[in-house]
């Protein structure tokens, strides 16, 4: 009977294949007959499908599709492992178009040894709307990369929700980036609380594309999640990764993120510091900002100060209101920090409150209060500043800075009192403030007060005061006055020794004799150092040539003025800077030996180098020819590169700090010394001190920013300008010079000296760029460019 059935099926099949019109009544009848018995003849029909042409091939497939269930389904699944690709393709097509196939069987077939994964995946694709995403992922990770990616594509656009509990693998343990990328693209469409945690684990991946896909996942999330998971990776990111990370943080940030940001307001990146400061300012609430400050309280002082300063820069009403709720906090640091932030938004109408803060026991709170007073338009600010310096003399310089910014003539009273102060930095700041705010109305009174103060000024400040008196006399057309410190008073001449004594006027206190004044040639200091001669002096101290009895050799002792090394903070900074300078060992740098202290004096011992300053040499030669100047420039850059490699910034690079011997060997001196004292000659530090020479000061430092390697590069550019042109790029009063540095309109060097080369001119323009980012970013780069120019103008062995 079976044989008869086969004969009947074969005859019907032949008739069907011979029928020319399958849509005719006869064709449809034959198709129905085949459907009734096709399940018993699957192999024969499948063989025929691979042999006949259309439309009969498609018709036979349709007949088979309607029979796919039970046994026939198993049969076609097995055929997917057939050796003949035509058989596999036919079976795949039949299953793909079947109304339903057991997906579990399909996934099992996917991993059969003889199976063709591509054919099975094609069938699975037809069932995509029925597939569980977890099943797709679990099976994909068991396949080789190509087929895994093909299977993972089925996740795209699926609307079937994923059950993460059914995943049989930890997704972050997968190694192949070709697998990770499509999987992450799918996860980006899944709003589930676990997805951000999964994506965050890929942020350390070595493949940058994977990292970007993980960030896109986090960006696409429309649910709230803890965005602090990004923070550990921020500082190692750059470019588009960092840009996308910050975008995600900005979108997801809320008050709960604030306590996590204590370490992110003092990173190496100013851009990051500002970004996170804004995040804190915008999102802070009382509870979370209190946590932020408590965590900040355990950091070092520098970190605390920088963080609070960053917040002040972007402070708004929200942060001020939050801070107001913490000004009476039980913890001192939280209380003081909150007070500083409240001060930031106080106005003239809050002068009484500012006065309270200005007289606070906490120096940081006082500093913020003074900064707030400096912005005031109320003359009452002067009275508050006067009270503050009376109660806290150590803040005198900062108060004078505020007086200068206010510009009120009444502030001159604070300046005149400052001239009586024994500290050189206060005297200097007083004179500079007087220079800034003196008007014709006060000119006579100002000059008289400076004159009365001359006997109590330090030697260095007295010279500066005389220059200022001369300038005031000239600017405001006052009668000339001559000063003679040795002879008796005569017409038009003031004898400072007699001035104010025995004439009914108030006598002035006698000039203080500094311990440094007692050191003269022939003196022995510390029972070891025989002073040979004084070879230099300046606003910071004096330089002595001495013989060390212990080792029987000459060395240099650089003494700091006692006034500039008073107090633990100044002394510690002095020691720290010397420690940094000792790190530098290079043939173009004066070697620093040690720091010595005795009898109120602090000195630095250093290598003796018989030489002259570059400044003195330039006065003789006016300017160098191209090759000689480049050789000197190369030596300076080499020494500075060695210093920068040890993270030592010079801060006061100028010709007088560059020494040359008779063979034109160059050595740089005074690394870090300028910043060791409380004052020098040009830019205001956070506490109001001045560090650096105006003629060589980088624009950013004139604005009050701290020095970095690019500041030294700018100073070297000014030195190069001087070396190749014979003049400085900017001249005028100190404050005018600072403003010119910020504007950056120096005459092109080739117009100043038509003998200079275009190559040198271009190099100097780069070194003196106003924007630090436009300069060479390392001293090594400057050194290499100078060397290349030397080789261009001389034989390759020009540099030893």
């Amino acid at each position: 009977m079976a044989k008869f059935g086969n004969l009947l099926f074969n005859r019907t099949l032949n008739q069907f294949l011979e029928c020319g019109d399958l849509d005719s009544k006869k064709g449809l009848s034959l198709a129905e007959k085949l459907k009734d018995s096709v399940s018993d003849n699957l192999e024969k029909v499948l063989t025929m499908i691979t042999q006949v042409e259309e439309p009969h091939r498609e018709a036979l497939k349709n007949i088979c599709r309607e029979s796919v269930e039970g046994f026939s389904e198993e049969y076609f699944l097995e055929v997917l492992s057939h050796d003949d690709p035509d058989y596999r393709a036919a079976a795949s097509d039949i299953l793909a178009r079947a109304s339903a196939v057991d997906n579990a069987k399909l996934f099992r077939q996917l991993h059969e040894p003889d199976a063709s994964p591509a054919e099975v995946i094609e069938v699975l694709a037809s069932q995509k709307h029925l597939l569980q995403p977890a099943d797709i992922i679990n099976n994909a990770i068991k396949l080789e990369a190509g087929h895994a990616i093909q299977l993972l594509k089925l996740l795209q656009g699926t609307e079937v929700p994923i059950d993460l509990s059914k995943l049989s693998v930890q997704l972050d343990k997968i190694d192949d980036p070709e697998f990770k990328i499509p999987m992450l693209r799918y996860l980006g469409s899944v709003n589930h609380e676990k997805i951000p945690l999964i994506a965050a684990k890929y942020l350390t991946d070595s493949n940058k594309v994977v990292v970007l896909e993980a960030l896109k996942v986090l960006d696409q999330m429309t649910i709230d999640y803890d965005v602090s998971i990004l923070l550990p990776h921020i500082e190692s990111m750059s470019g588009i990764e960092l840009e996308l990370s910050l975008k995600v943080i900005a979108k997801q940030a809320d008050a709960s993120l604030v306590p996590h940001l204590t370490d992110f307001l003092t990173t190496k990146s100013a851009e990051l510091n500002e970004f996170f400061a804004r995040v804190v300012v915008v999102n802070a609430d009382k509870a979370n900002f209190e946590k932020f400050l408590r965590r900040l309280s355990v950091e070092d002082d520098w970190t605390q100060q920088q963080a609070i300063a960053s917040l002040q820069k972007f402070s708004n009403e929200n942060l001020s209101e939050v801070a107001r709720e913490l000004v009476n906090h039980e913890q001192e640091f939280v209380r003081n920090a909150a007070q500083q932030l409240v001060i930031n938004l106080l106005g003239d109408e809050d002068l009484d409150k500012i006065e309270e803060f200005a007289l606070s026991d906490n120096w940081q709170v006082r500093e913020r209060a003074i900064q707030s007073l400096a912005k005031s338009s109320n003359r009452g600010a002067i009275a508050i500043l006067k009270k503050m310096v009376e109660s806290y003399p150590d803040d005198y310089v900062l108060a004078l800075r505020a007086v200068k910014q206010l510009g009120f003539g009444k502030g001159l009273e604070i300046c005149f009192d400052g001239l009586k102060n024994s500290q050189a930095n206060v005297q200097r700041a007083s004179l500079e403030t007087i220079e800034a705010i003196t008007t014709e109305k006060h000119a006579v009174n100002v000059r008289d007060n400076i004159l009365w103060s001359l006997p109590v000024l330090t030697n260095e400040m007295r010279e500066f005061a005389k220059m200022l008196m001369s300038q005031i006399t000239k600017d405001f057309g006052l009668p000339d006055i001559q000063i003679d410190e040795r002879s008796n008073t005569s017409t038009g001449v003031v004898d400072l020794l007699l001035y104010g004594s025995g004439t009914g006027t108030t006598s002035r206190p006698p000039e203080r004799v500094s311990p440094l004044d007692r050191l003269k040639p022939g003196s022995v200091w510390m029972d070891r150092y025989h002073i040979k001669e004084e070879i230099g002096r300046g606003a910071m101290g004096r330089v002595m040539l001495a013989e060390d009895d212990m080792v029987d050799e000459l060395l240099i002792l650089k003494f700091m003025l006692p006034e500039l090394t008073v107090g633990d903070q100044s002394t510690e900074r002095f020691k720290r800077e010397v420690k940094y300078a000792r790190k530098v060992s290079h043939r173009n740098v004066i070697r620093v030996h040690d720091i010595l202290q005795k009898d109120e004096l602090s000195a630095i011992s250093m290598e003796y180098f018989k030489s002259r300053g570059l400044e003195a040499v330039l006065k003789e030669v006016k300017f160098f020819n191209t090759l000689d100047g480049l050789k000197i420039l190369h030596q300076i850059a080499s020494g500075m590169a060695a210093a920068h490699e040890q993270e030592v910034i010079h801060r006061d690079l100028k010709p007088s700090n560059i020494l040359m011997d008779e063979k034109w060997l160059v050595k740089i001196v005074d690394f870090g010394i300028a910043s060791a004292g409380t004052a020098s000659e040009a830019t205001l530090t956070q506490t109001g001190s001045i560090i650096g020479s105006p003629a060589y000061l980088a624009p950013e430092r004139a604005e009050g920013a701290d020095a970095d390697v690019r500041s030294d590069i700018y100073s070297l550019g000014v030195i190069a300008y001087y070396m190749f042109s014979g003049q400085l790029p900017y001249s005028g009063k100190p404050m005018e010079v600072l403003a010119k540095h910020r504007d950056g309109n120096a005459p092109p060097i080739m117009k100043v000296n038509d003998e200079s080369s275009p190559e040198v001119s271009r190099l100097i323009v780069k070194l003196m760029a106003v924007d630090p980012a436009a300069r060479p970013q390392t001293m090594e780069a400057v050194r290499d460019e100078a060397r290349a120019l030397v080789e261009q103008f001389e034989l390759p062995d020009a540099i030893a």
Side-chain angles (χ1 to χ4, degrees), residues 45 90 137 181 188 201 208 249 267 462 477 526 535 541-543 562 571 640 682 685 691 717 775 795:
V45 174
I137 295 173
I181 293 170
K201 292 179 179 179
K208 296 302 181 183
I249 291 173
T267 69
R462 188 178 302 139
M526 296 185 71
I535 60 176
R542 300 179 192 176
V543 182
T571 302
M640 290 303 306
T685 67
I691 295 174
R775 300 171 206 153
L795 294 176

Side-chain angles (χ1 to χ4, degrees), residues 28 212 758 762:
L28 294 174
L212 283 175
R762 284 193 291 270

Side-chain angles (χ1 to χ4, degrees), residues 255-262 285-298 322 326 329 331 333-334:
S256 66
L257 180 64
V258 171
H260 297 280
L261 300 181
T262 52
D285 62 13
K286 179 185 176 183
N288 285 286
F289 191 58
E290 179 185 3
K291 292 179 183 177
F292 172 89
L293 292 177
R294 283 184 179 275
R295 293 183 183 182
L296 187 60
S297 69
V298 302
V322 169
L326 299 172
H329 196 275
Q331 185 176 328
F333 174 79
V334 175

Side-chain angles (χ1 to χ4, degrees), residues 537-557:
R537 65 167 58 195
M540 299 301 296
R542 300 179 192 176
V543 182
M544 308 280 193
L545 175 64
E547 184 172 7
D548 185 351
D549 285 347
M550 185 171 292
V551 294
D552 193 26
E553 70 176 19
L554 293 174
L555 51 71
I556 295 296
L557 294 178

